[in-house]
Amino acid sequence: MIEKQEQPDLYHFALGFFNLLPQMSPGKELLLKSLVIPDDSRLYPILRYLTDHVQEELRMDEVALRYNLSTRNLSRLFQESNIHFSSYVNRLRIMRAIELMTDGGRTMQEIAYAVGFNNPNHFNRVFRQVTGQSPRNYLRSCQEDEIV
């Protein structure tokens, strides 16, 4: 892990590199948006926890309590790093859903529940918000890309 205070030159280089990636990799915006570099190192274990527990119900107040923070302080940490809690969790869930979709063998409904959505319709709505496509169209376009 590169810490801003301990290695400022390397930190700023890495941050610049990650900011350039979308321009270098057109068509991979979704994957690149999941790269988050928080400004505050206190967020590192929290983001790791969210990633590891993405299939569970994740509420900011419960996560704050787990890390001995007030909901307000956790919200402020996220805001200062330009991360919106629910958007971040939704992106994590959709990224995991894409992994499960490409593995095959599950229905969209099974995938929706497996990544923490309580309602397949809500999963479809969030999937479209994050990717710009329905889950089925996204999977179809991925399969077409592999054929070409």
Side-chain angles (χ1 to χ4, degrees):
M1 188 172 315
I2 303 169
E3 302 255 349
K4 187 176 186 177
Q5 292 82 7
E6 294 176 18
Q7 299 172 300
D9 291 340
L10 184 56
Y11 175 86
H12 289 293
F13 173 79
L15 188 59
F17 174 75
F18 287 122
N19 285 331
L20 284 174
L21 273 177
Q23 296 168 11
M24 297 167 44
S25 305
K28 303 294 182 203
E29 299 87 15
L30 176 63
L31 296 173
L32 297 173
K33 284 180 186 175
S34 65
L35 294 172
V36 172
I37 304 171
D39 292 333
D40 193 316
S41 63
R42 293 178 290 176
L43 277 177
Y44 295 151
I46 296 167
L47 295 178
R48 192 170 308 115
Y49 175 83
L50 294 176
T51 300
D52 293 344
H53 295 88
V54 71
Q55 73 283 358
E56 300 170 16
E57 182 178 340
L58 295 169
R59 294 187 12 211
M60 185 179 282
D61 58 338
E62 292 174 355
V63 174
L65 185 63
R66 172 177 272 285
Y67 287 92
N68 297 318
L69 295 166
S70 69
T71 304
R72 184 176 178 193
N73 283 341
L74 182 57
S75 178
R76 189 177 302 132
L77 283 175
F78 273 95
Q79 286 176 347
E80 289 171 356
S81 290
N82 292 320
I83 303 169
H84 190 269
F85 181 84
S86 61
S87 296
Y88 182 76
V89 169
N90 282 339
R91 276 198 319 267
L92 287 175
R93 288 182 171 153
I94 297 307
M95 293 304 300
R96 180 67 183 128
I98 290 170
E99 290 173 12
L100 294 174
M101 287 164 51
T102 56
D103 288 346
R106 292 187 186 201
T107 67
M108 289 299 167
Q109 185 174 5
E110 291 170 333
I111 291 171
Y113 293 126
V115 299
F117 287 95
N118 295 326
N119 179 322
N121 290 332
H122 183 59
F123 166 72
N124 287 335
R125 240 184 336 272
V126 171
F127 196 99
R128 188 179 297 276
Q129 287 173 347
V130 171
T131 67
Q133 301 179 60
S134 71
R136 293 194 196 290
N137 286 345
Y138 185 89
L139 185 57
R140 193 173 304 130
S141 69
C142 289
Q143 292 167 340
E144 289 171 1
D145 287 346
E146 289 176 6
I147 293 171
V148 174

